[in-house]
Short mmCIF file of all heavy atoms in Angstrom, two decimals:
data_model
loop_
_atom_site.label_atom_id
_atom_site.label_comp_id
_atom_site.label_asym_id
_atom_site.label_seq_id
_atom_site.Cartn_x
_atom_site.Cartn_y
_atom_site.Cartn_z
N PRO B 556 -16.45 -10.71 -14.39
CA PRO B 556 -16.72 -9.61 -13.53
C PRO B 556 -18.20 -9.19 -13.62
O PRO B 556 -18.80 -8.89 -12.56
CB PRO B 556 -15.76 -8.48 -14.07
CG PRO B 556 -15.20 -8.97 -15.18
CD PRO B 556 -15.24 -10.46 -15.30
N ALA B 557 -18.78 -9.26 -14.80
CA ALA B 557 -20.23 -8.97 -14.94
C ALA B 557 -20.99 -9.83 -14.05
O ALA B 557 -21.98 -9.40 -13.36
CB ALA B 557 -20.64 -8.93 -16.38
N GLU B 558 -20.80 -11.16 -14.15
CA GLU B 558 -21.49 -12.13 -13.32
C GLU B 558 -21.36 -11.79 -11.85
O GLU B 558 -22.25 -11.93 -11.07
CB GLU B 558 -21.00 -13.57 -13.69
CG GLU B 558 -21.53 -14.04 -15.05
CD GLU B 558 -20.95 -15.23 -15.46
OE1 GLU B 558 -19.97 -15.71 -14.82
OE2 GLU B 558 -21.35 -15.90 -16.45
N TYR B 559 -20.13 -11.63 -11.39
CA TYR B 559 -19.75 -11.42 -10.04
C TYR B 559 -20.60 -10.16 -9.55
O TYR B 559 -21.21 -10.12 -8.52
CB TYR B 559 -18.30 -11.20 -9.88
CG TYR B 559 -17.91 -10.88 -8.48
CD1 TYR B 559 -17.70 -11.94 -7.53
CD2 TYR B 559 -17.63 -9.62 -7.98
CE1 TYR B 559 -17.21 -11.68 -6.22
CE2 TYR B 559 -17.28 -9.34 -6.77
CZ TYR B 559 -17.05 -10.28 -5.82
OH TYR B 559 -16.79 -10.13 -4.48
N ILE B 560 -20.48 -9.06 -10.27
CA ILE B 560 -21.12 -7.84 -9.81
C ILE B 560 -22.62 -7.98 -9.82
O ILE B 560 -23.28 -7.55 -8.82
CB ILE B 560 -20.69 -6.70 -10.88
CG1 ILE B 560 -19.24 -6.27 -10.68
CG2 ILE B 560 -21.59 -5.44 -10.61
CD1 ILE B 560 -18.69 -5.31 -11.80
N ALA B 561 -23.20 -8.62 -10.79
CA ALA B 561 -24.57 -8.75 -10.87
C ALA B 561 -25.06 -9.69 -9.61
O ALA B 561 -26.02 -9.28 -9.00
CB ALA B 561 -24.95 -9.53 -12.16
N LYS B 562 -24.34 -10.61 -9.30
CA LYS B 562 -24.61 -11.51 -8.18
C LYS B 562 -24.56 -10.68 -6.88
O LYS B 562 -25.38 -10.79 -6.00
CB LYS B 562 -23.73 -12.70 -8.25
CG LYS B 562 -24.34 -13.94 -7.44
CD LYS B 562 -23.43 -15.14 -7.58
CE LYS B 562 -23.36 -15.92 -6.20
NZ LYS B 562 -22.15 -16.68 -5.96
N GLN B 563 -23.54 -10.06 -6.66
CA GLN B 563 -23.31 -9.34 -5.46
C GLN B 563 -24.27 -8.23 -5.19
O GLN B 563 -24.63 -7.93 -4.13
CB GLN B 563 -21.83 -8.65 -5.42
CG GLN B 563 -20.68 -9.73 -5.38
CD GLN B 563 -20.69 -10.44 -4.05
OE1 GLN B 563 -20.72 -9.91 -3.04
NE2 GLN B 563 -20.49 -11.84 -4.26
N LEU B 564 -24.61 -7.52 -6.30
CA LEU B 564 -25.66 -6.47 -6.25
C LEU B 564 -27.09 -6.99 -6.18
O LEU B 564 -28.01 -6.23 -6.08
CB LEU B 564 -25.57 -5.52 -7.40
CG LEU B 564 -24.25 -4.60 -7.52
CD1 LEU B 564 -24.22 -3.76 -8.77
CD2 LEU B 564 -24.10 -3.88 -6.30
N GLY B 565 -27.25 -8.24 -6.25
CA GLY B 565 -28.56 -8.97 -6.23
C GLY B 565 -29.31 -8.50 -7.51
O GLY B 565 -30.59 -8.27 -7.41
N GLY B 566 -28.59 -8.32 -8.67
CA GLY B 566 -29.33 -7.93 -9.84
C GLY B 566 -29.87 -6.57 -9.92
O GLY B 566 -30.76 -6.28 -10.80
N LYS B 567 -29.36 -5.62 -9.12
CA LYS B 567 -29.93 -4.28 -9.17
C LYS B 567 -28.91 -3.30 -8.70
O LYS B 567 -28.38 -3.42 -7.70
CB LYS B 567 -31.08 -4.21 -8.12
CG LYS B 567 -32.11 -2.96 -8.34
CD LYS B 567 -33.27 -3.29 -7.46
CE LYS B 567 -34.00 -2.01 -7.13
NZ LYS B 567 -33.85 -0.73 -7.94
N GLY B 568 -28.77 -2.28 -9.55
CA GLY B 568 -27.78 -1.17 -9.14
C GLY B 568 -27.23 -0.43 -10.36
O GLY B 568 -27.57 -0.69 -11.46
N ASN B 569 -26.28 0.47 -9.93
CA ASN B 569 -25.64 1.32 -11.02
C ASN B 569 -24.20 0.92 -11.12
O ASN B 569 -23.49 0.88 -10.21
CB ASN B 569 -25.71 2.77 -10.60
CG ASN B 569 -27.19 3.30 -10.60
OD1 ASN B 569 -28.08 2.84 -11.36
ND2 ASN B 569 -27.57 4.29 -9.74
N VAL B 570 -23.79 0.71 -12.35
CA VAL B 570 -22.36 0.31 -12.49
C VAL B 570 -21.81 1.33 -13.56
O VAL B 570 -22.45 1.74 -14.49
CB VAL B 570 -22.45 -1.13 -13.19
CG1 VAL B 570 -20.99 -1.60 -13.44
CG2 VAL B 570 -23.08 -2.06 -12.28
N VAL B 571 -20.47 1.66 -13.34
CA VAL B 571 -19.74 2.25 -14.32
C VAL B 571 -18.53 1.54 -14.70
O VAL B 571 -17.99 0.62 -13.94
CB VAL B 571 -19.14 3.70 -13.94
CG1 VAL B 571 -20.40 4.74 -13.83
CG2 VAL B 571 -18.41 3.65 -12.68
N ALA B 572 -18.03 1.61 -15.96
CA ALA B 572 -16.84 0.82 -16.36
C ALA B 572 -15.83 1.72 -16.99
O ALA B 572 -16.03 2.78 -17.46
CB ALA B 572 -17.32 -0.22 -17.44
N LEU B 573 -14.59 1.21 -16.87
CA LEU B 573 -13.49 1.79 -17.50
C LEU B 573 -13.00 0.84 -18.69
O LEU B 573 -13.09 -0.33 -18.49
CB LEU B 573 -12.27 1.95 -16.61
CG LEU B 573 -12.51 2.95 -15.35
CD1 LEU B 573 -11.19 3.00 -14.61
CD2 LEU B 573 -13.02 4.23 -15.74
N ARG B 574 -12.47 1.50 -19.75
CA ARG B 574 -11.97 0.60 -20.75
C ARG B 574 -10.49 0.91 -21.08
O ARG B 574 -9.95 1.79 -20.59
CB ARG B 574 -12.67 0.92 -22.17
CG ARG B 574 -14.29 0.73 -21.93
CD ARG B 574 -15.00 0.89 -23.28
NE ARG B 574 -14.57 -0.17 -24.33
CZ ARG B 574 -15.26 -0.27 -25.44
NH1 ARG B 574 -16.29 0.54 -25.75
NH2 ARG B 574 -14.78 -1.21 -26.21
N GLY B 575 -9.92 -0.01 -21.72
CA GLY B 575 -8.53 0.20 -21.94
C GLY B 575 -8.09 1.01 -23.09
O GLY B 575 -8.41 2.21 -23.11
N ILE B 576 -7.50 0.50 -24.15
CA ILE B 576 -7.20 1.18 -25.36
C ILE B 576 -8.06 0.59 -26.41
O ILE B 576 -8.28 -0.68 -26.38
CB ILE B 576 -5.62 1.11 -25.63
CG1 ILE B 576 -4.85 1.82 -24.64
CG2 ILE B 576 -5.40 1.68 -27.04
CD1 ILE B 576 -3.37 1.60 -24.66
N ALA B 577 -8.52 1.33 -27.34
CA ALA B 577 -9.53 0.85 -28.31
C ALA B 577 -8.80 -0.25 -29.17
O ALA B 577 -7.99 -0.01 -30.13
CB ALA B 577 -10.03 1.98 -29.29
N THR B 578 -9.00 -1.51 -28.87
CA THR B 578 -8.37 -2.59 -29.64
C THR B 578 -9.45 -3.72 -29.68
O THR B 578 -10.44 -3.65 -28.93
CB THR B 578 -7.23 -3.22 -28.93
OG1 THR B 578 -7.62 -3.41 -27.52
CG2 THR B 578 -6.05 -2.33 -28.95
N THR B 579 -9.29 -4.73 -30.49
CA THR B 579 -10.14 -5.86 -30.61
C THR B 579 -10.27 -6.57 -29.30
O THR B 579 -11.39 -6.98 -28.89
CB THR B 579 -9.86 -6.88 -31.68
OG1 THR B 579 -8.30 -7.21 -31.40
CG2 THR B 579 -9.91 -6.36 -33.04
N LEU B 580 -9.11 -6.63 -28.68
CA LEU B 580 -9.08 -7.29 -27.28
C LEU B 580 -9.95 -6.58 -26.24
O LEU B 580 -10.82 -7.26 -25.64
CB LEU B 580 -7.67 -7.19 -26.95
CG LEU B 580 -6.97 -7.90 -25.69
CD1 LEU B 580 -5.69 -8.27 -26.11
CD2 LEU B 580 -6.88 -6.72 -24.58
N ASP B 581 -9.98 -5.25 -26.31
CA ASP B 581 -10.80 -4.52 -25.27
C ASP B 581 -12.23 -4.61 -25.68
O ASP B 581 -13.08 -4.82 -24.89
CB ASP B 581 -10.26 -3.06 -25.46
CG ASP B 581 -11.03 -2.16 -24.37
OD1 ASP B 581 -10.71 -2.46 -23.18
OD2 ASP B 581 -11.92 -1.41 -24.77
N ASN B 582 -12.54 -4.60 -26.97
CA ASN B 582 -13.89 -4.78 -27.53
C ASN B 582 -14.54 -6.09 -27.15
O ASN B 582 -15.65 -6.16 -26.60
CB ASN B 582 -14.04 -4.72 -29.02
CG ASN B 582 -13.71 -3.20 -29.48
OD1 ASN B 582 -13.59 -2.32 -28.74
ND2 ASN B 582 -13.34 -3.15 -30.75
N GLU B 583 -13.69 -7.19 -27.14
CA GLU B 583 -14.19 -8.53 -26.71
C GLU B 583 -14.67 -8.50 -25.28
O GLU B 583 -15.69 -9.06 -25.03
CB GLU B 583 -13.06 -9.54 -26.95
CG GLU B 583 -13.06 -10.24 -28.30
CD GLU B 583 -11.84 -11.14 -28.46
OE1 GLU B 583 -11.63 -11.91 -27.47
OE2 GLU B 583 -11.04 -11.04 -29.48
N ARG B 584 -13.73 -7.85 -24.50
CA ARG B 584 -14.08 -7.84 -23.13
C ARG B 584 -15.35 -7.16 -22.73
O ARG B 584 -16.19 -7.54 -22.01
CB ARG B 584 -12.87 -7.17 -22.34
CG ARG B 584 -11.58 -8.01 -22.33
CD ARG B 584 -10.50 -7.20 -21.75
NE ARG B 584 -9.27 -8.14 -21.81
CZ ARG B 584 -8.10 -7.71 -21.41
NH1 ARG B 584 -7.86 -6.47 -20.87
NH2 ARG B 584 -6.96 -8.58 -21.38
N MET B 585 -15.40 -5.94 -23.46
CA MET B 585 -16.59 -5.09 -23.11
C MET B 585 -17.95 -5.73 -23.64
O MET B 585 -18.91 -5.73 -23.03
CB MET B 585 -16.38 -3.72 -23.94
CG MET B 585 -17.36 -2.57 -23.54
SD MET B 585 -16.99 -1.96 -21.82
CE MET B 585 -18.60 -1.78 -21.24
N ASP B 586 -17.79 -6.37 -24.82
CA ASP B 586 -18.89 -7.09 -25.36
C ASP B 586 -19.46 -8.21 -24.46
O ASP B 586 -20.64 -8.34 -24.23
CB ASP B 586 -18.65 -7.69 -26.84
CG ASP B 586 -18.54 -6.54 -27.75
OD1 ASP B 586 -18.87 -5.45 -27.49
OD2 ASP B 586 -18.03 -6.85 -28.86
N ALA B 587 -18.50 -8.96 -23.85
CA ALA B 587 -18.84 -10.06 -22.96
C ALA B 587 -19.54 -9.45 -21.73
O ALA B 587 -20.43 -10.02 -21.13
CB ALA B 587 -17.63 -10.80 -22.64
N PHE B 588 -18.98 -8.35 -21.30
CA PHE B 588 -19.58 -7.67 -20.01
C PHE B 588 -20.98 -7.26 -20.32
O PHE B 588 -21.92 -7.53 -19.54
CB PHE B 588 -18.63 -6.45 -19.76
CG PHE B 588 -19.02 -5.87 -18.37
CD1 PHE B 588 -18.49 -6.34 -17.23
CD2 PHE B 588 -19.79 -4.75 -18.39
CE1 PHE B 588 -18.78 -5.80 -16.05
CE2 PHE B 588 -20.00 -4.08 -17.01
CZ PHE B 588 -19.48 -4.60 -15.89
N ASN B 589 -21.16 -6.59 -21.46
CA ASN B 589 -22.44 -6.17 -21.83
C ASN B 589 -23.46 -7.25 -22.01
O ASN B 589 -24.67 -7.19 -21.54
CB ASN B 589 -22.47 -5.26 -23.03
CG ASN B 589 -21.98 -3.92 -22.93
OD1 ASN B 589 -22.23 -3.37 -21.74
ND2 ASN B 589 -21.22 -3.32 -23.72
N ALA B 590 -22.98 -8.37 -22.52
CA ALA B 590 -23.90 -9.57 -22.90
C ALA B 590 -24.49 -10.04 -21.51
O ALA B 590 -25.74 -10.44 -21.54
CB ALA B 590 -23.10 -10.59 -23.59
N VAL B 591 -23.72 -10.15 -20.46
CA VAL B 591 -24.22 -10.55 -19.15
C VAL B 591 -25.22 -9.65 -18.71
O VAL B 591 -26.27 -10.04 -18.20
CB VAL B 591 -23.01 -10.89 -18.31
CG1 VAL B 591 -23.54 -11.20 -16.87
CG2 VAL B 591 -22.10 -11.89 -18.84
N LEU B 592 -24.78 -8.24 -18.68
CA LEU B 592 -25.71 -7.42 -17.96
C LEU B 592 -27.14 -7.24 -18.85
O LEU B 592 -28.09 -6.90 -18.13
CB LEU B 592 -25.03 -6.01 -18.07
CG LEU B 592 -24.01 -5.68 -17.18
CD1 LEU B 592 -23.60 -4.25 -17.02
CD2 LEU B 592 -24.14 -6.37 -15.79
N LYS B 593 -27.24 -7.74 -20.02
CA LYS B 593 -28.41 -7.73 -20.66
C LYS B 593 -29.41 -8.54 -19.92
O LYS B 593 -30.59 -8.38 -20.06
CB LYS B 593 -28.13 -8.30 -22.13
CG LYS B 593 -28.79 -7.38 -23.21
CD LYS B 593 -28.58 -7.89 -24.53
CE LYS B 593 -27.87 -6.81 -25.32
NZ LYS B 593 -26.89 -7.39 -26.24
N ASN B 594 -29.01 -9.67 -19.30
CA ASN B 594 -29.84 -10.54 -18.46
C ASN B 594 -30.43 -9.93 -17.19
O ASN B 594 -31.19 -10.44 -16.53
CB ASN B 594 -29.22 -11.86 -18.14
CG ASN B 594 -28.68 -12.56 -19.38
OD1 ASN B 594 -29.23 -12.30 -20.41
ND2 ASN B 594 -27.50 -13.22 -19.33
N TYR B 595 -29.80 -8.73 -16.83
CA TYR B 595 -30.16 -8.02 -15.62
C TYR B 595 -30.74 -6.64 -15.85
O TYR B 595 -29.98 -5.73 -15.88
CB TYR B 595 -29.00 -7.94 -14.64
CG TYR B 595 -28.48 -9.31 -14.19
CD1 TYR B 595 -27.40 -9.92 -15.01
CD2 TYR B 595 -29.00 -9.99 -13.21
CE1 TYR B 595 -26.93 -11.12 -14.68
CE2 TYR B 595 -28.53 -11.27 -12.79
CZ TYR B 595 -27.51 -11.95 -13.52
OH TYR B 595 -26.94 -12.96 -13.25
#
Side-chain angles (χ1 to χ4, degrees):
Chain B
E558 286 169 351
Y559 177 85
I560 290 170
K562 201 174 140 208
Q563 294 293 315
L564 292 181
K567 192 172 159 28
N569 293 329
V570 180
V571 292
L573 298 183
R574 303 186 64 170
I576 293 170
T578 49
T579 49
L580 185 140
D581 188 70
N582 292 344
E583 270 176 45
R584 294 171 178 183
M585 194 70 221
D586 291 345
F588 189 83
N589 283 326
V591 173
L592 288 196
K593 234 181 233 140
N594 305 327
Y595 299 92

